[in-house]
Each structure stands twice: as structure tokens, then as C-alpha cells.
Amino acid sequence: MKNFCDGKLPNCISAHFNLEELTKTNTGVFNTPKDPKVISNLRRAAENILEPVRKHFNRRVIIHSAYRSPAVNRAVGGSNNSQHSKGEAVDFRVEGHTVHEVANWIKENLSFDQLILEHYLPDSPQSGWVHCSYSFNNRGSVLTKFKGSQIYHPGILLAPPQRAAK
């Protein structure tokens, strides 16, 4: 598979993920972390989130975004306190599986700080991505944010909750 490290390459973060794929960006802005703490955080996220996901689903994990330098984070409109800038968060999907399925498996099987089913469309099971972070003080926060909405709903949902009639 494309995302494989032999353990000897200097850019290996874990068995199947390398620094290049965890720092890629389409912004054209430099995005290689200099702080060893960021590399350590990326390694912990890969070992505690990405590797178990890859092992369970036995399919390629496609990284959309992981580490974002402050300049990249600004360029993509990320939050000022984004865990991506610390190397703690990864946005991804698993080849051949819906993001809803992957998010539910993570919720039931892994320890994490924050798990978000992001930009999901109820009528499009292949839409969106899984955002998952791992830190020293994992909160276990679980949310869904549907595409076109700014609202974060608690839980991993297939559709937005219906508003109660007044």
C-alpha cells in the first residue's frame, strides 16, 4: 500500500503512516513541523487512532489533513486553537467504508479526545470525513457537523435532529 513505512525511513511516524502524508497541504504554504513535540503528538495520534483503524478495517486510510502550521491553519480558516496545529488531530476516511461506519467504530473501540463526523450529508454516505484527535487528557467528545451547517450536534448521527414544533 502507498502509506507504508519500513520503520527505517526518517520520516516514518508509525508502521503505516509517514510525515509527508500527515503534513500535506494544498495551500502552497510551508507545513513541516520543527517542534519535536508536534512530531511526538503526530506519532501518538497515528499509533492510537490511525493504526487501530487501519488494522480493524484492513483498508487504506486516506488522510485529508493532519498537522497544520499556524500559516496553513489560517489559510484554511481553521480555529485559532486547532488541535491540528499541535499535531493532535487528523481528518481522514477509510477506503471502501463510510465515514459514519468508521466514526461509530472509533466511538465504540478507541480512546480519543474529540471525534467529529464532519461535513456529512445524510443522502450521501461517502461524503465528509472523520476528524479525530488524541491528547494527554482525552475528553471523549463525540459530535456530528453536517455539511452546510455550523452546528455541532452531540453524538454520531445519520441525520440532523428534528426541531421540536412550538
Side-chain angles (χ1 to χ4, degrees):
M1 286 186 184
K2 180 183 166 205
N3 53 349
F4 177 74
C5 284
D6 64 8
K8 298 174 186 165
L9 300 174
N11 70 343
C12 285
I13 294 297
S14 68
H16 297 96
F17 300 93
N18 62 52
L19 186 61
E20 181 181 335
E21 69 188 316
L22 295 176
T23 59
K24 72 179 176 184
T25 176
N26 295 330
T27 64
V29 178
F30 180 78
N31 199 47
T32 301
K34 301 254 186 242
D35 186 347
K37 189 184 301 184
V38 170
I39 301 290
S40 177
N41 290 343
L42 284 169
R43 182 168 283 116
R44 288 172 353 112
E47 290 172 350
N48 291 284
I49 304 297
L50 298 175
E51 290 291 348
V53 166
R54 187 183 184 286
K55 181 178 180 182
H56 173 75
F57 290 99
N58 197 28
R59 300 297 294 267
R60 186 167 76 102
V61 175
I62 302 160
I63 308 296
H64 293 281
S65 178
Y67 172 72
R68 296 181 195 153
S69 69
V72 168
N73 196 53
R74 279 190 302 278
V76 301
S79 165
N80 288 338
N81 59 352
S82 173
Q83 288 182 287
H84 287 282
S85 295
K86 299 174 190 172
E88 294 177 340
V90 182
D91 297 343
F92 64 95
R93 60 184 310 104
V94 176
E95 188 175 75
H97 294 274
T98 69
V99 291
H100 187 270
E101 176 186 5
V102 173
N104 268 320
W105 184 84
I106 292 170
K107 180 181 82 167
E108 298 299 324
N109 294 282
L110 300 181
S111 176
F112 54 85
D113 184 53
Q114 190 172 58
L115 172 64
I116 309 173
L117 177 59
E118 282 194 295
H119 291 267
Y120 185 71
L121 288 169
D123 295 332
S124 182
Q126 296 302 321
S127 64
W129 57 83
V130 174
H131 166 98
C132 197
S133 63
Y134 190 88
S135 71
F136 286 105
N137 297 308
N138 287 331
R139 297 171 287 170
S141 172
V142 179
L143 303 164
T144 298
K145 180 181 175 292
F146 293 94
K147 188 171 183 173
S149 172
Q150 296 303 314
I151 299 170
Y152 287 84
H153 302 280
I156 299 299
L157 308 177
L158 278 170
Q162 299 297 316
R163 300 180 84 182
K166 291 187 179 187

